Amino acid sequence: MTTNKKLIGVDLGGTTIKFSILTADGEVQQKWSQETNVLSEGNFIIPDIIESINHHLDLYKMSADEFIGIGMGTPGGVNRKEGSVSGAFNLNWNENHKVFPVRDITEGTGIKTYLENDANVAALGEKWKGAGNNSDNVVFVTLGTGVGGGVILNGKLVTGIAGGAGEIGHITVDPKGYDCNCGKKGCLETVASATGIVRVARDLAEEYSGDSKLKSMLDDGEDISAKDVYDLAKVDDVLALKVVDKVSMYLGLALGNVANTLNPEFIVVGGGVSAAGDFLLEHINEYFLKYTFPLVKETTKLKLATLGNGAGVIGAASLVIEGE
Amino acid sequence: MTTNKKLIGVDLGGTTIKFSILTADGEVQQKWSQETNVLSEGNFIIPDIIESINHHLDLYKMSADEFIGIGMGTPGGVNRKEGSVSGAFNLNWNENHKVFPVRDITEGTGIKTYLENDANVAALGEKWKGAGNNSDNVVFVTLGTGVGGGVILNGKLVTGIAGGAGEIGHITVDPKGYDCNCGKKGCLETVASATGIVRVARDLAEEYSGDSKLKSMLDDGEDISAKDVYDLAKVDDVLALKVVDKVSMYLGLALGNVANTLNPEFIVVGGGVSAAGDFLLEHINEYFLKYTFPLVKETTKLKLATLGNGAGVIGAASLVIEGE
């Protein structure tokens, strides 16, 4: 898109709201952030966003007509038709408290606004300016408190018939596995989220009796994190390696099956757990190669995300380009 | 598309080539078929197709300029850029014998030609004029000699980066399962194709000692088919019901995970095995509901294919519309 007009990206999270002003080519020119005020059923959030944008445009001596649009990523379920959000519990926007950011922010700033789910905008960000290398076929999976994802095929975000697409965390990897918050059993999220990895560690520790720092820590009742598991595995702690192997098997299976179905160019792995880096990726890849058929094995590549927390604002801004 | 111009659909198979002339709205106006001549490394096939089309246009007193295009479905791997086919072993087109139907048929008939893999065109057919109800988000799975499929999202066929998308038959459903022709283990195809179902029956028969006609047939060395298994299950043969349950579990798991990732409006089940009808679908659906998370469970529906063998020509013709 050749234009001097700019984009605004907003990444609305449960603790922070991040803002960026970007060129139409996705170059970040300004950024700022503020705390999310979830008091009063989250009623301050949208007015705060509007005020913050208007205030910063004043500060930078910019006007609404210098922008193509605003794109925002949000937790919860997005109804694209209505431009509404529901069920964003960490913002205190519950089912009975539907919010209409598209209408409100468009009116409040005079800039056309676009909205999408936060995992999907992170996927769009990594696709556009991150590990996805602007390929038309990218799947993104985020390993954090939960496991989320986004699917981009033929250059377009896939939302499915009801916005449920991309929920890679709810792929069933073990029909007899742990109960998931979603109501079913053995979801990828129950074993590959930060808490899932710790759960697997606790279970494997029970049946393990050899020498292991991880085992001692667990037996001593220490609070361990997914990072501890990966750090110990990197220094060859036997139990930690077993945990990493099991988690990687589940991730390789789920991502392998996504690849068998969609043959994307890249599957990008992000989120807090991905800080474990190449070590994490190599272990997943071992199983990924085992569970993919030849053509897919040769052509679909796993990669680490490169934008970190910045993927959200950039992907949110790209909604504007997609929408135009 | 409002035009009086017409489409030609060609479904090239290992034994028969099917042809149809359709309106731009997908109404079949003429159809014919002929045997596939696979002699001489399949060198007759493309000239035969050209001759057959030209001959029939003469017969119907139609000329090339009355057509928008020809769409063809083919076995093997399709290179969309080159308009070529490779590795279609049942046509005797092997790796060293690449075929360029798009160039050849376009030149031979004077009508612009489009090409796609046979499972993908069947998916397009069911999407456009069959159970897919022309939805923009349809996944098709065909249970026949093998298990194949096609994925349509945001109204577009998904081919992936190298044409490997839609290979639902190679989703790993049991990492410790049977060896598959593709080189890996536990693919859906090894348990849910016509031969896969018989394989499951033989295995379960070994550990089953109760009363069962299916068990007797197998013990007597009779050749049984997937149809026998479903027919016996319908009359409450205990072993046959166990086989159907196991196959349905694998299908429910694979299709459930496709739905968790893509949230299509419909997953359409076709192919020879789907002749078992609602009985087949209900058993799959039981597990599908178990393995999908709430939003997907409520919004993605399993359906039986409605076009049978006719899906291929209709879907092939739709390539022309998509291509224009």
Side-chain angles (χ1 to χ4, degrees), chain A residues 294-314:
Chain A
L295 179 63
V296 164
K297 192 179 343 203
E298 288 154 18
T299 55
T300 296
K301 301 291 168 208
L302 295 186
K303 283 179 94 172
L304 287 170
T306 61
L307 299 178
N309 287 332
V313 268
I314 294 175

Side-chain angles (χ1 to χ4, degrees), chain B residues 41-72:
Chain B
E41 294 198 315
N43 269 325
F44 297 117
I45 295 173
I46 299 298
D48 279 359
I49 290 172
I50 295 167
E51 204 198 313
S52 185
I53 291 173
N54 288 336
H55 172 68
H56 280 80
L57 296 199
D58 274 356
L59 212 64
Y60 304 136
K61 303 198 191 320
M62 300 181 84
S63 62
D65 60 9
E66 291 174 58
F67 292 89
I68 312 168
I70 297 170
M72 183 167 95

Side-chain angles (χ1 to χ4, degrees), chain A residues 241-263:
Chain A
L241 281 169
K242 281 181 193 288
V243 177
V244 167
D245 185 65
K246 188 154 193 183
V247 169
S248 303
M249 185 272 284
Y250 288 127
L251 277 164
L253 179 64
L255 300 182
N257 281 340
V258 168
N260 289 327
T261 310
L262 303 174
N263 188 25

Side-chain angles (χ1 to χ4, degrees), chain B residues 260-275:
Chain B
N260 289 327
T261 310
L262 303 174
N263 189 23
E265 184 167 6
F266 302 114
I267 296 184
V268 177
V269 181
V273 174
S274 74

Side-chain angles (χ1 to χ4, degrees), chain A:
Chain A
M1 195 175 271
T2 45
T3 169
N4 289 324
K5 288 202 174 190
K6 306 216 183 310
L7 313 170
I8 294 175
V10 182
D11 181 8
L12 170 55
T15 52
T16 316
I17 311 171
K18 299 191 195 74
F19 300 82
S20 283
I21 295 175
L22 304 90
T23 65
D25 296 326
E27 192 198 318
V28 177
Q29 299 200 310
Q30 300 286 351
K31 55 182 183 175
W32 69 95
S33 67
Q34 64 183 47
E35 260 181 68
T36 311
N37 181 352
V38 297
L39 296 178
S40 180
E41 294 198 316
N43 268 326
F44 297 116
I45 295 172
I46 299 297
D48 280 0
I49 289 172
I50 295 167
E51 203 197 315
S52 185
I53 291 172
N54 289 335
H55 172 68
H56 280 81
L57 295 198
D58 274 355
L59 213 61
Y60 304 136
K61 303 199 190 322
M62 300 179 85
S63 63
D65 59 11
E66 293 175 57
F67 292 89
I68 312 169
I70 296 170
M72 184 167 95
T74 173
V78 169
N79 182 324
R80 280 193 154 200
K81 225 183 233 168
E82 293 184 349
S84 64
V85 181
S86 57
F89 297 103
N90 57 347
L91 302 176
N92 281 335
W93 292 343
N94 61 31
E95 291 303 340
N96 305 317
H97 184 75
K98 214 178 207 180
V99 176
F100 296 84
V102 168
R103 180 195 67 201
D104 294 349
I105 300 178
T106 301
E107 281 177 17
T109 61
I111 304 171
K112 195 170 175 189
T113 300
Y114 300 83
L115 187 69
E116 192 42 80
N117 167 273
D118 49 8
N120 284 343
V121 301
L124 286 169
E126 283 291 340
K127 180 257 189 203
W128 193 28
K129 293 288 157 183
N133 211 13
N134 212 19
S135 165
D136 277 347
N137 295 282
V138 176
V139 171
F140 175 70
V141 59
T142 171
L143 311 176
T145 317
V147 173
V151 175
I152 295 143
L153 297 167
N154 292 324
K156 288 267 179 200
L157 183 70
V158 173
T159 56
I161 186 68
E167 289 284 1
I168 291 169
H170 296 293
I171 288 177
T172 306
V173 290
D174 179 3
K176 291 174 184 148
Y178 304 108
D179 289 339
C180 182
N181 295 329
C182 80
K184 67 185 188 73
K185 265 183 195 297
C187 295
L188 180 64
E189 178 163 296
T190 67
V191 289
S193 64
T195 47
I197 292 167
V198 173
R199 182 185 289 129
V200 172
R202 285 190 198 287
D203 265 20
L204 291 188
E206 276 186 25
E207 28 183 273
Y208 181 77
S209 57
D211 191 43
S212 156
K213 176 144 188 238
L214 179 60
K215 168 87 174 159
S216 315
M217 287 169 79
L218 285 164
D219 287 351
D220 292 349
E222 284 185 46
D223 257 349
I224 66 149
S225 67
K227 183 175 184 309
D228 294 328
V229 173
Y230 275 88
D231 284 348
L232 287 167
K234 284 176 185 175
V235 294
D236 291 331
D237 182 281
V238 181
L239 176 60
L241 281 169
K242 281 181 193 288
V243 177
V244 167
D245 185 65
K246 188 154 193 183
V247 169
S248 303
M249 185 272 284
Y250 288 127
L251 277 164
L253 179 64
L255 300 182
N257 281 340
V258 168
N260 289 327
T261 310
L262 303 174
N263 188 25
E265 185 168 5
F266 302 114
I267 297 185
V268 177
V269 181
V273 174
S274 75
D278 289 332
F279 181 84
L280 171 97
L281 205 69
E282 281 158 20
H283 278 78
I284 302 173
N285 204 41
E286 190 186 312
Y287 285 99
F288 180 79
L289 295 176
K290 193 169 166 184
Y291 296 139
T292 43
F293 69 96
L295 179 63
V296 164
K297 192 179 343 203
E298 288 154 18
T299 55
T300 296
K301 301 291 168 208
L302 295 186
K303 283 179 94 172
L304 287 170
T306 61
L307 299 178
N309 287 332
V313 268
I314 294 175
S318 80
L319 291 171
V320 178
I321 306 284
E322 193 178 318
E324 285 295 295

Side-chain angles (χ1 to χ4, degrees), chain B residues 204-216:
Chain B
L204 291 187
E206 276 186 26
E207 29 184 91
Y208 181 77
S209 56
D211 191 43
S212 156
K213 174 141 189 243
L214 179 60
K215 167 87 175 160
S216 317

